Amino acid sequence: MTDIRTILEERLQAAFDTVEAGADPVLRPSDHADFQVNGTLPLAKRLGRNPRELAEGLLAAVDLGGICETVEVSGPGFLNLTLSAGFLADQLQAMAADEALGLAPTADPVTVVVDYSAPNVAKEMHVGHLRSTIIGDALVRLLQAAGHEVVRENHVGDWGTPFGMLIEHLLDLGEEEATSELSVGDLDGFYRQARASFDADEAFAARARARVVLLQSGDPETLRLWGILVGQSIAYFDEVYAKLGVLLTDADVVGESFYNPMLEGVVADLEALGLLVENDGARCVFPPGFANRQGDPLPLIIRKSDGGYGYAATDLAAIRDRVDRLGAGRILYVVGAPQAQHLQMCFAVARLAGWLPEGVEAVHVAFGSVLGPDRKVFRTRAGSTVKLVDLLDEAVARAAGEVAERNPDLDEGTRRDMARALGVGAVKYADLSNDRAKDYVFDMDRMLAAQGDTGPYLQYAHARVRNIFARGEVDPPPAGSPLVLAEPAERALGLRLLRFGDAVAGARQAADPHRLCLFLYETASAFSSFYDHCPVLKAPDGPTRLSRLALADLTARVLARGLGLLGIEAPDRM
RNA sequence: GCCCUCGUAGCUCAGCGGAUAGAGCACCGGCCUCCGGAGCCGGUGGCGCAGGUUCGAGUCCUGCCGAGGGCGCCA
């Protein structure tokens, strides 16, 4: 099926071309009609003509027969388009018959590498990882749905100086004891103890430093111990991912250590290109356009004065690997906003070195911080970071209370599934429905509220639709069933549903899931209004009943699919 | 000091250069002859300040004020 927007744009373009070839009609949704054409005003300005007269002329020239009920010149010279109910009904019928709900695959699929989540070995996942993981997951789903080849990369922090003390702590505890501690997910406890020994015990610190050297020199026994830490942590991350219901698995882990063998080449090649500058013993690149607080050029440190590699070296190696080995046409970094400058510098250096060719896009999909009620970075009352699992468990537990109250008749397993879908969905939706770039205040009461722009409200709307069929013991009408949009609420819902493709495309192009959230909330609202005003099972006649059932079914499918693209479940009951 | 992001209703947020700036929460008032009231319908209330570009600015540009973040060997 061809979406309405495309159809309208084609017809309008033909009319605009008669006045000035290529003039953009600037078609937009409107508060005053279904769509409005804004392009008349700039065009009139350019031609020095009266905008209303020009609009009148275009109105006469444009062929919208069978599509629009009315087209009129309005205000200073806009064209207001009101679609005909019959056309809308036909479009909806086609959409309902389409498995993909009108979501068309992209014309130019590329390989997109999405770098997200990135927890640290032997460190707890916290709310910062929540944002990266959830936003990244939604973007992966949106891109896959468009037919892009998506490579998920979880850039786990599995290398660096802290591993000296972590390995020594592991030895002090004994392998078995350490393994069991890590397997229950007390990662922060493990890390804290290691840190404490390092700070308090000089002998331990010396062992830790020696251990770093062994690790970096590839000592087999040290690598084996390191592998225990990494393996246990990744197993733990997998549990968290499963709890979150995201697509990431341990197969997507491409840790920092993966790039170790490539670092020497990064340095050598930068050297050969003449980009590397020795500065205070460190080897740096100074990409143009970056300055420090004195206004001097800002370095990207590739190799530290102690001979170790900076994380910039790893990030550059990753870019090369993604372009050369994975064939990336676009790389998305779902990373917090504070790292903007670092990433921009890496991209700049990669461009200078020719590792990031002209046609390959590198995009920092930046996001703001999660704040506590005091508007400071979210922490527990004790001042430590909040464990992601604790947060999820609390959300699910609260949802479970709600579910038990409303569905005392259901068996425990079903209730548990519902509570999980509800609790996790609430947390995800709250995060995704905010503008990525902004900080947001974490408020569990609000995200779990059943009213307002929340996950539970959307899931409820979906469950309500599904329940029409369960309660009425009817199946959704077969594909191709005719629709009638007689009531204003039917028309409003129908028009809303037809904008699904636009909403999905917009969210994908801007890498901004909150646009899809907004659409889904509006859809749920439109459905609720429709459901209140238009009896479905008790419709006045057979054709109306069938049409409303078809509209209800399409609503359920759009909500479920839309939520699915965000990584949020849509249970049939709740 | 320089750079980046953000200032929209009491609170939390939408708003793709277009008309009278929209929601939700809270508050006030309606709707149970109703298929799920976790709902629907209505009301009160707002673009940080000052310039500029434009036919038209919440949106783009400049300056100021305010908040957060970044600014050479942690990732």
Side-chain angles (χ1 to χ4, degrees):
Chain A
M1 63 177 286
T2 313
D3 80 313
I4 337 176
R5 218 193 157 80
T6 310
I7 294 173
L8 288 174
E9 271 167 353
E10 278 171 8
R11 303 291 182 100
L12 288 163
Q13 192 64 60
F16 270 68
D17 283 345
T18 64
V19 178
E20 181 188 282
D24 185 356
V26 192
L27 181 70
R28 295 286 131 90
S30 176
D31 291 334
H32 305 275
D34 294 336
F35 286 92
Q36 65 185 52
V37 176
N38 296 338
T40 42
L41 279 86
L43 182 58
K45 179 68 182 172
R46 268 204 307 283
L47 302 176
R49 292 180 51 186
N50 177 298
R52 283 195 66 102
E53 276 173 26
L54 179 75
E56 294 288 353
L58 283 162
L59 189 152
V62 70
D63 174 20
L64 291 166
I67 298 173
C68 286
E69 192 174 278
T70 59
V71 183
E72 53 191 17
V73 177
S74 174
F78 303 111
L79 284 179
N80 284 356
L81 312 184
T82 303
L83 299 161
S84 77
F87 173 71
L88 285 174
D90 290 348
Q91 288 292 304
L92 283 165
Q93 195 175 326
M95 181 175 171
D98 180 4
E99 194 80 27
L101 298 168
L103 300 184
T106 176
D108 53 333
V110 292
T111 297
V112 185
V113 172
V114 185
D115 178 327
Y116 65 116
S117 196
N120 294 305
V121 164
K123 269 196 173 175
E124 202 60 54
M125 289 181 79
H126 54 78
V127 282
H129 300 112
L130 175 77
R131 293 218 76 182
S132 179
T133 306
I134 289 176
I135 294 168
D137 187 60
L139 296 180
V140 165
R141 292 173 196 262
L142 283 164
L143 290 163
Q144 282 178 339
H148 291 293
E149 181 66 34
V150 180
V151 182
R152 301 184 295 262
E153 292 223 317
N154 190 357
H155 197 79
V156 170
D158 64 358
W159 202 256
T161 47
F163 282 88
M165 69 177 193
L166 291 168
I167 290 171
E168 287 304 319
H169 181 60
L170 176 120
L171 288 169
D172 285 359
L173 277 181
E175 282 181 39
E176 221 151 286
E177 176 61 29
T179 303
S180 70
E181 191 170 312
L182 288 169
S183 68
V184 296
D186 185 18
L187 270 54
D188 273 357
F190 188 91
Y191 194 96
R192 265 198 309 275
Q193 287 165 34
R195 183 84 235 175
S197 300
F198 188 88
D199 291 339
D201 182 348
E202 189 47 48
F204 180 92
R207 272 161 51 205
R209 278 189 282 267
R211 187 59 75 177
V212 175
V213 177
L214 282 173
L215 181 64
Q216 282 166 346
S217 65
D219 171 61
E221 173 62 8
T222 301
L223 281 175
R224 187 185 68 78
L225 296 166
W226 169 80
I228 293 173
L229 290 174
V230 174
Q232 289 297 321
S233 294
I234 287 173
Y236 171 71
F237 298 150
D238 277 348
E239 283 177 38
V240 180
Y241 294 142
K243 194 170 276 198
L244 263 177
V246 294
L247 299 169
L248 280 175
T249 69
D250 53 3
D252 303 315
V253 170
V254 187
E256 288 167 4
S257 61
F258 175 82
Y259 302 100
N260 284 345
M262 311 173 199
L263 300 181
E264 212 180 307
V266 166
V267 172
D269 292 351
L270 286 173
E271 187 87 65
L273 288 162
L275 292 169
L276 221 47
V277 177
E278 176 109 14
N279 207 284
D280 289 344
R283 307 181 81 73
C284 317
V285 182
F286 291 88
F290 297 90
N292 68 9
R293 67 184 83 203
Q294 278 81 40
D296 300 327
L298 189 63
L300 188 66
I301 294 175
I302 309 298
R303 187 159 203 172
K304 300 184 284 186
S305 52
D306 68 0
Y309 295 98
Y311 61 111
T314 308
D315 285 333
L316 288 171
I319 292 175
R320 296 181 83 175
D321 183 60
R322 289 163 183 179
V323 173
D324 296 345
R325 181 175 61 92
L326 299 172
R330 195 183 314 158
I331 311 174
L332 303 184
Y333 287 81
V334 189
V335 175
Q339 292 206 53
Q341 185 174 260
H342 166 72
L343 284 172
Q344 292 312 322
M345 289 179 78
C346 286
F347 298 163
V349 171
R351 295 266 182 223
L352 284 175
W355 300 336
L356 200 51
E358 195 66 28
V360 181
E361 265 185 291
V363 184
H364 180 200
V365 181
F367 54 83
S369 309
V370 181
L371 307 177
D374 57 356
R375 305 215 39 110
K376 303 277 187 193
V377 173
F378 196 42
R379 294 186 185 282
T380 60
R381 272 184 287 277
S384 56
T385 54
V386 179
K387 285 174 71 168
L388 179 50
V389 276
D390 290 348
L391 221 56
L392 292 175
D393 288 345
E394 187 187 341
V396 172
R398 287 212 209 173
E402 200 70 21
V403 167
E405 204 170 301
R406 314 189 72 89
N407 302 286
D409 52 317
L410 289 177
D411 68 274
E412 203 186 315
T414 311
R415 287 206 308 241
R416 190 160 357 101
D417 288 346
M418 270 185 202
R420 203 178 46 78
L422 209 60
V424 174
V427 172
K428 284 187 176 181
Y429 187 82
D431 197 300
L432 293 171
S433 61
N434 277 298
D435 182 349
R436 250 184 31 237
K438 291 190 183 179
D439 298 345
Y440 78 96
V441 176
F442 193 91
D443 181 344
M444 197 168 279
D445 290 330
R446 200 157 50 82
M447 57 183 74
L448 279 164
Q451 57 276 67
D453 186 11
T454 67
Y457 174 81
L458 293 186
Q459 289 171 322
Y460 169 68
H462 173 261
R464 258 178 120 191
V465 191
R466 297 295 308 148
N467 195 247
I468 294 171
F469 298 99
R471 182 65 64 92
E473 292 181 349
V474 288
D475 289 325
S481 296
L483 281 102
V484 189
L485 302 175
E487 296 294 323
E490 291 177 298
R491 192 180 190 287
L493 176 59
L495 184 61
R496 176 63 53 198
L497 292 170
L498 287 169
R499 296 199 206 270
F500 183 46
D502 256 8
V504 171
R508 179 170 51 237
Q509 274 153 23
D512 218 345
H514 100 270
R515 295 179 185 222
L516 180 53
C517 293
L518 185 67
F519 166 84
L520 293 173
Y521 177 68
E522 285 170 344
T523 303
S525 287
F527 173 77
S528 289
S529 184
F530 157 79
Y531 198 38
D532 218 63
H533 294 290
C534 305
V536 177
L537 291 171
K538 296 178 182 172
D541 56 76
T544 302
R545 185 174 190 265
L546 204 61
S547 166
R548 289 179 179 172
L549 282 170
L551 206 50
D553 177 56
L554 186 57
T555 302
R557 287 161 62 200
V558 166
L559 288 175
R561 180 84 174 113
L563 287 169
L565 287 170
L566 298 172
I568 297 173
E569 289 179 65
D572 281 348
R573 296 183 60 184
M574 55 178 277

